[in-house]
Structures are given as C-alpha cells and as structure tokens.
Amino acid sequence: MKKQLITAASAVLLGTTLFAGAASAQSVKVQKGDSLSVLAKRYKTTVSKIKSDNKLKSDKIYVGQTLKVNGTSSKTTTKTTTTVKAASATATHKVVKGDTLSKIGKKYGMTVKELKSLNKLKTDLIKIGQKLKVKKTSKVKTTPVKEKTVSTSSLNTSKLVSDAKAQNGTPYKWGGTTPKGFDCSGFMWYIINKQKKISRQTTEGFWGSMKSVSTPKVGDFVFFTTYKSGPSHMGVYIGNNKFIHAASDGVTVSDMNSSYWKPIYLGAKTFVN
C-alpha cells in the first residue's frame, strides 16, 4: 500500500512537471536581427534545445520562420524601448495669451481629442503659462549652417539686428506688429519697416519675395517648417548659429543647432528691394 501511494504521488508530480513544461512552449516568429543565440538568451533556454525542438541541422534561421521555443520571455527590454520612443515623440508647448486647444492642435498637427488625451485634460479649458505635451513636428533634411559675415541684403544689417535685439522680451501676440506684441512675421515686418516701407506680409509671403541663399549671413532671414509643411516660422540670423525671432513665449534668441530647430530648418533668404 505504501509503495502504491509513493507511485501515485510520483505520477502526480511527473504529470505536473510535464504540464508545466508543455505550458512554457510557444511559437516564435523570427524577426530581423534574431539568431538562435539571441532567441535562447531571450527565452532563457539553449541553442541546442531550440535546434532539437525544431529538428534544425544548422544554426541558420530566416526572417518570418516560426520556431517552437520552450522558455520564458523577458518583457523588460521591449517595455524600455517603447518608453524611450514615446518620450522622443513629444515636445512641450507653453500656453500663451490667445491660445486654445484647437489653435495649438492646428499648430502641431493634432486634434483637440488627441491633445486632451495626451495631457489627461477633462475639459477644453487651458491657462496662460500651462505646459502641454504635443507631438513633435516632422523632420526635413537640413543643410549645415556655415558662418559668413558679409551680407548682400539691401538693408543695413547691423541696424536690422540692433533693432531686433532692442525688442528682446517683447510678448507674443497673434498678428501683432508693434512693441506691444509680435508674431513671427509681424516682428520681421516691424524691423524691416524701420528701413524700408513694405506691405504687411505673412511668413510665406516673405519666403516668396526674398532671394534664396545657400547659407545665412548676419542680417539674413531664416525659415522653419513648424505646424504645417512649407515656411511657417521665421527670424533674423545674428551669427554664431543664433537667430532672433518672436516665439510663443515672446521675442527671444534661439540656437539653430538645438534639437528642436535644427530638424525643421527650411532655408535662408536675403532681403532685396
């Protein structure tokens, strides 16, 4: 009787072990970069075990091939990669006077629903100074900026830069063209108009009316692709890869080589009249 109990217990234990082993078997589709050693490490098994289970005669496997693997997959690497990608796909927008979710969404190619979801907003209400997560704009190929000191502009570039710097800190205002508040094209119109009387133009208008240059010189105008394709933002190049412009937080000096501005740089133009 005692022998029978031991045998029965052994059978239960063996059955449990076999069941656990079967439960760990899974089908794995080979991806680019996979090898038997990579899969063995990922699923905590051995190369020889994978070869035996799949009746492989060599270590060669191909993309799309389905293999039976007995082991436990680790999710840590996948989760880490996903987190990094999600973080690199967003930027921050600081809410300024006149901003609405629909206006901000249009600027960054997002819907109001996407903005609210990304920022966990329950209503459409936002306040000045609030920081919102937004999608980064699409990247365009850029040409490295090389420093040159002489400009072919018909403007007095020293005065142009001086007049621009005098407005540093002026608040942003949609459609603004005075020191009470500027938007990017309104700011450019204001400093040009101190030397040449011209009609009010948009960023696209300035892009179309100015002469293209391969690299910006001090006093030239630099253009960027922000919330839509084509020229949608501009500023004055002041040297050392810096430019002054009316940004969402007011007139400021920015670095063209920054992680935000460099990928969306569109080109440079000089004013000729």
Side-chain angles (χ1 to χ4, degrees), residues 192-258:
I192 293 172
N193 215 45
K194 281 183 166 290
Q195 299 185 49
K196 304 277 186 178
K197 296 300 179 182
I198 61 170
S199 59
R200 175 72 165 94
Q201 296 186 53
T202 62
T203 299
E204 288 179 320
F206 279 123
W207 173 266
S209 64
M210 293 184 181
K211 181 181 178 182
S212 295
V213 293
S214 58
T215 55
K217 309 171 187 71
V218 173
D220 282 340
F221 297 85
V222 288
F223 294 80
F224 303 87
T225 295
T226 53
Y227 65 94
K228 61 179 181 178
S229 60
S232 54
H233 189 75
M234 65 184 297
V236 176
Y237 185 68
I238 60 175
N240 297 318
N241 289 310
K242 301 288 197 302
F243 71 107
I244 187 167
H245 60 127
S248 59
D249 53 353
V251 176
T252 188
V253 174
S254 297
D255 190 335
M256 291 180 64
N257 283 333
S258 73

Side-chain angles (χ1 to χ4, degrees), residues 38 53 56 67 86 97-98 118 124 130-131 139 143 153 169 172 189 198 201 205 209 235 255 260 266:
V38 169
D53 290 341
L56 300 177
L67 298 176
K97 186 176 180 181
L118 186 60
D124 291 355
Q130 184 176 355
K131 292 183 178 180
K139 295 183 179 182
T143 302
S153 173
Y172 179 87
W189 176 85
I198 61 170
Q201 296 186 53
S209 64
D255 190 335
Y260 178 78
L266 185 62

Side-chain angles (χ1 to χ4, degrees), residues 33 51 75 94 147 182 269:
K51 290 175 70 175
K75 303 290 184 181
K94 189 175 182 180
E147 183 80 12
F182 295 110
K269 299 248 181 175

